[in-house]
Amino acid sequence: MFESLSDRLSGVFERLTKQGALSEDDVKTALREVRVALLEADVSLPVARDFVKAVQDKATGQAVTKSVTPGQQVVKIVHDELVHVLTGDEDPGKLKVDNPPAPILMVGLQGSGKTTTTAKLAKRLKEREGKKVLMASLDVNRPAAMEQLQILGVQIGVDTLPIVKGESPVQIAKRAKTQASLGGYDVYMLDTAGRLHIDAELIQQAAEVRDVANPRETLLVVDGLTGQDAVNVATEFDDKIGVSGVVLTRMDGDGRGGAALSMRAVTGKPIRFVGLGEKMDAIEEFHAERIAGRILG
Ligand code: GDP
């Protein structure tokens, strides 16, 4: 298992005599440990490096308060800086769904948890905000994916657009828009096709749908356990499609959450939600403090 950063730092500072302030050397030694801990938490190297540099500037010369050991002091500085970097949106859980019917575009790779997250968010909008939601699957190559969304819809009591064979994703998006207007829906969610890897066709398709739907939110769903890959996926989707936020799934797993830091630092996009399991309620809005605590261990 991981040794927590707090434990590491306690060890580092054990032999240091009590001083009034952290010396440059103390800080340097501590920051080496911070860097290793970040890398073990799956933070990418350039992000870990930048992060440590920012902490170094803040830590050097800081007065050590009487109640804490120097190790705890550094942990606090690191924690605060983590929260600072991770914090994106003031209100990450608030989806922009005024002006009905508001389209929400869901994008991401196959297996990332996109369909599950679509249904989880639909349920949230319905239960917490009293919104009437319509969900539509655009995954024309995978009938099973379309059926999966329908099954989830029945389970959570949210309507899905009837499946019509032979339509293109753009045609389905248009039909969803019409249906949402005629049916008095507040929100319609478009669950785009996923592939195992990003390819030109996937991006092209998502871009066409985006142009037709003009979404209020484009949420990228990424598997939080995939570390650096998740960051590459996010960068590419954001460059090509433009995303308004990220949903990190599988944060109930063993991962240390480092992907969240890399994601935020590299793409600059806010993390809006965190997926915490397979059940329809297993989603919560992003809390920087919680992820920071998890990265520190
Ligand atoms: P899609 O191909 O991106 O639409 O992925 P799915 O929504 O079909 O999800 C793939 C699998 O991941 C399913 O078995 C989901 O139940 C599971 N899954 C989705 N989100 C989470 C999550 O946050 N935690 C866990 N443990 N499993 C998840």
Side-chain angles (χ1 to χ4, degrees):
M1 264 326 279
F2 301 99
E3 191 187 0
S4 80
L5 186 58
S6 312
D7 291 345
R8 277 176 196 283
L9 291 178
S10 310
V12 169
F13 285 104
E14 217 163 65
R15 278 170 297 142
L16 293 176
T17 48
K18 259 223 161 130
Q19 300 156 354
L22 296 175
S23 76
E24 216 165 298
D25 268 357
D26 300 343
V27 171
K28 231 182 234 165
T29 313
L31 289 183
R32 251 198 304 276
E33 296 299 322
V34 172
R35 196 161 96 143
V36 172
L38 289 179
L39 294 176
E40 282 182 1
D42 222 3
V43 175
S44 66
L45 185 60
V47 171
R49 219 182 263 147
D50 287 352
F51 183 86
V52 164
K53 208 182 278 166
V55 170
Q56 183 164 15
D57 295 343
K58 291 191 175 128
T60 308
Q62 277 228 0
V64 180
T65 49
K66 277 196 189 116
S67 57
V68 293
T69 67
Q72 284 168 335
Q73 182 85 355
V74 175
V75 168
K76 186 179 179 321
I77 295 168
V78 171
H79 172 269
D80 291 351
E81 183 62 16
L82 277 175
V83 171
H84 173 70
V85 175
L86 283 167
T87 300
D89 238 313
E90 235 171 65
D91 198 354
K94 183 99 191 102
L95 293 168
K96 292 185 190 70
V97 289
D98 42 340
N99 284 343
I104 296 180
L105 190 63
M106 304 294 294
V107 298
L109 293 182
Q110 186 178 320
S112 60
K114 186 161 43 63
T115 300
T116 309
T117 303
T118 302
K120 285 176 176 177
L121 291 178
K123 184 170 190 280
R124 227 179 124 96
L125 282 167
K126 174 186 149 190
E127 289 176 357
R128 298 197 179 202
E129 300 185 37
K131 300 290 184 196
K132 188 177 173 190
V133 183
L134 178 69
M135 304 189 291
S137 171
L138 275 49
D139 202 343
V140 293
N141 297 323
R142 290 167 63 225
M146 298 185 120
E147 280 156 27
Q148 188 200 347
L149 188 68
Q150 256 185 344
I151 291 165
L152 293 175
V154 170
Q155 195 182 319
I156 61 176
V158 167
D159 293 338
T160 44
L161 189 72
I163 297 172
V164 175
K165 287 208 173 93
E167 278 185 331
S168 70
V170 164
Q171 285 171 323
I172 300 173
K174 286 181 177 163
R175 188 158 57 86
K177 188 178 188 172
T178 308
Q179 176 68 32
S181 300
L182 295 176
Y185 289 90
D186 300 300
V187 181
Y188 64 102
M189 305 186 70
L190 302 173
D191 182 14
T192 61
R195 297 259 163 78
L196 292 175
H197 303 284
I198 297 178
D199 60 36
E201 203 188 332
L202 172 78
I203 295 291
Q204 167 84 10
Q205 208 176 72
E208 282 173 8
V209 170
R210 174 203 60 200
D211 293 344
V212 166
N214 199 13
R216 300 298 313 282
E217 298 270 11
T218 300
L219 299 178
L220 172 68
V221 180
V222 287
D223 182 341
L225 293 182
T226 55
Q228 186 55 37
D229 274 349
V231 180
N232 296 338
V233 165
T235 305
E236 194 143 358
F237 267 100
D238 189 38
D239 283 352
K240 308 240 163 84
I241 312 284
V243 306
S244 59
V246 176
V247 181
L248 280 184
T249 62
R250 299 210 175 79
M251 295 299 273
D252 49 312
D254 288 337
R256 291 291 293 274
L261 185 71
S262 302
M263 180 78 64
R264 182 75 197 118
V266 173
T267 69
K269 292 294 164 184
I271 299 164
R272 306 282 294 275
F273 294 95
V274 168
L276 294 167
E278 305 207 4
K279 298 226 168 75
M280 286 293 106
D281 285 324
I283 191 163
E284 66 180 27
E285 64 179 78
F286 178 71
H287 293 282
E289 294 268 350
R290 284 183 201 166
I291 302 290
R294 193 159 157 175
I295 292 173
L296 288 176

